[in-house]
Every structure is written in C-alpha cells, then in structure tokens.
C-alpha cells in the first residue's frame, strides 16, 4: 500500500465507475454536476490493524485507527466526496476519487443540503 | 420502518455506543468534543429496493435510491456525523445519532480538517 493514494482533499484524479446491471435503476436522477458521497470497500486493507502512525509518518505517535482515515481498519470502508462529470452508458465519470483501480464501490449517496450549506 | 428516524440534520437524540473488546484499541485518542463520522449497518433495510419516493413522500416522483439517503438500498450503510459527549468504560456517548436502537456501528472516522474548514 506504499503507493496508495491519500485523502481526497489533497487532490485526486478523475475516475470511471462502472455499475453492475442489477443496481443501475438506483442511479435514476443522478446528473452531471451532482455532488455525491461514494463508499468504497478498501479490499487491500489489513483488517487486523487497530493502531497506526497517522498517515504513515513514524515520527508521529501511534493512534487508534478510528482517529484516522487509514485504509487499515476492521471494516475498511472509504468515503469519497466527488462531483459527477459525465455518463457513458453504465459508467459514471467523477472527479477527485482517491482509490486504487478496481476498488469496489459499495454505496452512492447524495451530499445533504445541510452539509452543502455548512460550507 | 414507519417510525424510523430521519436524517441527522433534522435533530436527533444522544446515543450510547458500546464497542466490542476486539476493536477497542482502535479508539485510542478519541476524546469528548471530537467530531466523528459513524458508519452504521441499517439491518432493517430492504436491500432489493432501487427506486423510492424521496423521504417516503408519495407526492414526490420516484427517484433512484442513490439520489436519496433512504435506508432501503443494496448496501444499507448509514452515515452519521456526531460529536463525542463522554465515555463510560467501553461505551461512548454521542449526540445527534439517528439510528434504531441496536443498529450495528461498522466504522468510526474523524471528520477531516478540510471538511471542517469548509463550513
């Protein structure tokens, strides 16, 4: 995981997401420009890790994984706030997605209006 | 699910979360006052639903579940932004948690500083 990407707020690439046929109806109404929260399953993570050096920096004291966004955690679910750029059939292009290629996306949610208004 | 709670931004009660012994080390460093994102597994959800009336309002047109925060979705994971109020041994008290009693909490994450600064 040395080359694993960092948190989305540090700048991340565009990515294509391909949806399985059996969930595509759930995308009805999503349009380019929408802001979404994607949940990923970080399948390269070590699920036995409970304490890490934050961001892999061994000069920082160890901390519980629940105080960090480390991929290594008992249930390795990633949160990614993205904007929808375009669609191509069953594929959706988004910006700012920090995830290794092939990482499963397990849920898609809208950003709540209250969260937007907090900005 | 008629009595299921609504989204957290609409006001929600305090709640106690009890952690299993085998993950408690991951909590090291969490303190009262910290803002966290809790991920829950909404085990009462209907995972076959792909289209809903937003917020159960049948006067609104049906929409894909991925455009809503409906509990009913293929992978029924809830996101809850909370503040830590106190600890009592393995139990953590948080505010503003909209979830049915007994709902499993599957991950705990810090709110990223960039998200805070966006407010």
């Amino acid at each position: 995981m040395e080359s694993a990407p960092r948190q989305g707020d540090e700048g991340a690439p565009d990515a294509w997401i391909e949806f399985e046929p059996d969930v595509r109806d759930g995308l009805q109404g999503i349009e380019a420009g929408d802001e979404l929260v994607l949940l990923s399953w970080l399948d390269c993570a070590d699920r036995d890790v409970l304490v890490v050096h934050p961001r892999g920096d061994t000069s920082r004291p160890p901390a519980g994984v629940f105080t960090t966004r480390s991929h290594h955690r008992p249930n390795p679910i990633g949160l990614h706030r993205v904007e929808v750029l375009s669609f191509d059939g069953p594929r959706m292009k988004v910006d700012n997605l920090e995830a290794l290629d092939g990482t499963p996306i397990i849920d898609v949610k809208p950003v709540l209006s209250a969260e937007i208004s907090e900005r």
Side-chain angles (χ1 to χ4, degrees), chain A:
Chain A
M1 293 285 285
E2 287 82 358
S3 63
R6 298 287 182 179
Q7 287 146 2
D9 56 312
E10 293 166 357
D14 298 347
W16 284 101
I17 301 163
E18 181 158 352
F19 291 89
E20 301 288 340
D22 60 353
V23 300
R24 283 179 197 160
D25 284 348
L27 298 169
Q28 287 176 29
I30 296 181
E31 298 177 347
D34 287 354
E35 292 196 272
L36 301 175
V37 179
L38 305 184
L39 281 64
S40 63
W41 183 257
L42 304 164
D43 49 2
C44 294
D46 181 343
R47 301 183 62 183
D48 293 324
V49 172
L50 290 172
V51 176
V52 295
H53 292 283
R55 317 189 69 179
D57 179 350
T58 54
S59 72
R60 298 174 67 177
V65 290
F66 300 133
T67 71
T68 80
R69 291 283 182 117
S70 171
H71 290 190
H72 306 306
R73 55 205 310 115
N75 288 313
I77 297 169
L79 294 183
H80 314 271
R81 183 170 173 155
V82 303
E83 180 179 332
V84 178
L85 299 176
S86 60
F87 285 89
D88 176 18
R91 302 198 311 154
M92 180 172 78
K93 189 178 187 182
V94 301
D95 69 359
N96 200 37
L97 181 58
E98 275 300 358
L100 297 172
D101 192 34
T103 300
I105 298 297
I106 57 174
D107 197 13
V108 175
K109 296 181 188 297
V111 174
L112 292 182
S113 57
E115 292 167 354
I116 292 173
S117 68
E118 280 176 356
R119 281 204 250 169

